[in-house]
Amino acid sequence: MQSKAEIIKSESQGGTEQPGFVIIKNEQEFQKIITSMQGISLVEVGNEPAIKFPVFPKDKKVVLYNLGRFNSGDHTIREIKNISVKDNVLYVEVPMYESGGMEIQVLSNPWFIFTVPSNYQFTSVQLKSSK
């Protein structure tokens, strides 16, 4: 089973130290996760919210994936090439990370939120890198 996925939000900081995923079930949980992972406090000015949240898709599954901890480089996911499900594993194909050479040592905990078709059934997520 193969299809396309769409990245909703991707950040280089705010994720967990260990890789893992969560399926986000509703709009409230979606807003809470984005707010907490970005360290944002919501302040309203008049009737306008302080930040604009991405739209929560109601016709797809929404997945939060934490990549874990990295010692250097920018490991932010900017593209999903392909997704597929086999034996209850969601395989997410992303471009291979290529280092720019000497890098400053910076700890990062990247994460991203993406969608998959609502009929996909899986119990784990695995990233695959490709050129």
Side-chain angles (χ1 to χ4, degrees), residues 11-73:
E11 295 290 335
S12 62
Q13 292 295 341
T16 61
E17 290 186 20
Q18 298 298 319
F21 81 100
V22 173
I23 296 175
I24 303 172
K25 295 175 182 41
N26 57 45
E27 178 81 29
Q28 293 77 20
E29 186 178 349
F30 180 65
Q31 290 183 9
K32 183 178 176 183
I33 285 172
I34 290 176
T35 301
S36 67
M37 294 187 79
Q38 290 188 316
I40 297 171
S41 61
L42 295 178
V43 177
E44 290 190 13
V45 179
N47 291 331
E48 292 293 317
I51 63 170
K52 303 258 189 225
F53 285 96
V55 175
F56 181 78
K58 298 190 184 328
D59 59 339
K60 298 179 181 181
K61 281 188 182 172
V62 180
V63 180
L64 162 65
Y65 188 82
N66 289 292
L67 279 73
R69 175 162 284 202
F70 294 93
N71 290 328
S72 64

Side-chain angles (χ1 to χ4, degrees), residues 83-122:
I83 58 171
S84 61
V85 175
K86 183 178 179 187
D87 298 327
N88 288 324
V89 177
L90 174 66
Y91 293 96
V92 181
E93 184 181 353
V94 297
M96 184 177 290
Y97 171 74
E98 294 185 23
S99 173
M102 296 294 287
E103 297 177 13
I104 297 172
Q105 215 42 316
V106 176
L107 293 178
S108 66
N109 295 53
W111 59 275
F112 70 112
I113 295 175
F114 63 101
T115 63
V116 297
S118 59
N119 63 338
Y120 274 27
Q121 300 297 318
F122 53 93

